[in-house]
Amino acid sequence: MSDSGVIRRLDSSSPGVLLGVREAGEASSPPLLFLHGFPLHGAMWAPQVAAFSSEWRTIAPDARGAGASDVGTGQYTMELLVDDLFAVLDQVAHDEPVVAVGLSMGGYILLRALEREPQRFRGVVLCDTRSAADGRAGKLARAIGIRRIEQEGLEPFVDDFLEAVLAPGTRAKRPESWSGLKRMMMENSPIGVRGQLLAMASRVDTGRVLGSISQPSLVVNGSEDRLTRPAAGKAMAAKIPNAVFSMVEGAGHLSSVEAPVEFNRILGRYLQHIR
Ligand code: MLT
């Protein structure tokens, strides 16, 4: 058993491609789904699994190409990642609606999944994420990233990514979170990371779903997030009926990892309200 739960390999939406899914907690507890950010995998949720698996059945899948999941062709779309999520939910949650927590890329997957099949969700937590699709500059930056990983391998990309997304104080204050995140990112397949860049660059805008989210919702943002600024998180929350906005002080883009105690306090309050 890893810190993020027992890893099972389950069917994806493509024949022969298996996905790693981390599960912890009692089978009779209500399901709590965690969707990881890019270019991480499900182990990023270890602090939340430790805090909540006594009362919830935690489910943290590795996206295609990440962690214990197969890579497949490396040609991914956001639609494919949502198809994979539905395949996993069919196997682990059956017809029971889940409370879902998605951080950044996990939030992109969750928003599109809510647009397609809202009945699968009982509660929605969107962390350091947005509904807008990439603009011109964003798409070009993804293309540069894909080329760079092909030419130089994963490590220089990962180093620059961490520099860009963590709060300036995180590396000094919590060096273990920097090194743990880097280790996790380096465990991923370079082909998978490039496939996820492709999926994010080609995803559609999901802004139209915000006004129809009827589940109790929480939007969380690191106060130092330079990729998804707190003002953008707040604006997204304002468009979701029944959404509460909370800020994780001092955290950057990876708020659940950078400030797990404060993040868990916020998530715990929301989960108590849901139960
Ligand atoms: C993430 O944390 O999942 C990524 O930063 C998302 C993105 O690059 O848009």
Side-chain angles (χ1 to χ4, degrees):
M1 164 127 171
S2 70
D3 289 350
S4 47
V6 172
I7 304 177
R8 282 201 289 158
R9 300 239 307 148
L10 302 179
D11 289 336
S12 71
S13 60
S14 306
V17 176
L18 297 181
L19 301 176
V21 179
R22 298 149 196 270
E23 292 170 284
E26 297 294 326
S28 56
S29 297
L32 176 59
L33 173 77
F34 288 104
L35 299 173
H36 64 81
F38 165 89
L40 288 153
H41 58 64
M44 70 165 274
W45 297 110
Q48 287 68 47
V49 170
F52 300 112
S53 59
S54 56
E55 292 192 33
W56 295 80
R57 177 160 57 94
T58 59
I59 303 161
D62 293 339
R64 194 180 278 241
S69 290
D70 290 342
V71 177
T73 61
Q75 295 177 0
Y76 309 160
T77 60
M78 196 52 63
E79 296 310 292
L80 183 69
L81 300 182
V82 174
D83 290 342
D84 282 349
L85 171 61
F86 291 160
V88 167
L89 290 178
D90 286 344
Q91 293 164 89
V92 301
H94 312 289
D95 287 335
E96 188 174 359
V98 300
V99 175
V101 182
L103 186 137
S104 198
M105 182 181 77
Y108 307 159
I109 296 172
L110 176 54
L111 282 166
R112 181 63 186 136
L114 277 162
E115 198 171 358
R116 285 175 51 181
E117 300 196 13
Q119 75 285 358
R120 288 183 182 267
F121 303 97
R122 169 183 169 204
V124 176
V125 183
L126 297 162
C127 319
D128 302 283
T129 194
R130 58 183 178 272
S131 58
D134 286 356
R136 180 185 161 87
K139 286 184 201 298
L140 290 172
R142 306 272 191 212
I144 290 168
I146 290 170
R147 170 58 62 86
R148 188 172 180 211
I149 295 168
E150 184 185 28
Q151 291 177 338
E152 302 172 15
L154 207 45
E155 190 160 6
F157 177 85
V158 158
D159 284 336
D160 287 354
F161 183 85
L162 281 170
E163 200 68 62
V165 302
L166 297 189
T170 296
R171 191 172 191 175
K173 276 190 298 201
R174 294 176 50 91
E176 75 292 351
S177 62
W178 176 285
S179 52
L181 285 164
K182 179 165 177 178
R183 199 173 330 109
M184 214 183 294
M185 291 174 178
M186 292 303 297
E187 281 165 4
N188 286 339
S189 144
I191 294 177
V193 172
R194 285 161 58 202
Q196 290 170 10
L197 283 167
L198 205 53
M200 289 193 288
S202 60
R203 74 191 194 278
V204 296
D205 185 301
T206 50
R208 66 178 71 182
V209 78
L210 299 176
S212 63
I213 296 176
S214 56
Q215 295 85 344
S217 303
L218 170 67
V219 177
V220 182
N221 224 103
S223 64
E224 310 288 318
D225 186 345
R226 287 165 284 164
L227 246 66
T228 313
R229 305 254 174 210
K234 215 178 268 182
M236 184 169 72
K239 292 182 185 154
I240 304 176
N242 304 318
V244 172
F245 176 79
S246 284
M247 192 107 87
V248 183
E249 288 302 330
H253 185 59
L254 303 178
S255 56
S256 61
V257 182
E258 291 181 69
V261 174
E262 176 63 1
F263 182 94
N264 286 354
R265 194 184 60 74
I266 293 167
L267 181 59
R269 208 172 42 203
Y270 164 83
L271 291 174
Q272 229 165 17
H273 162 70
I274 289 260
R275 288 203 80 171

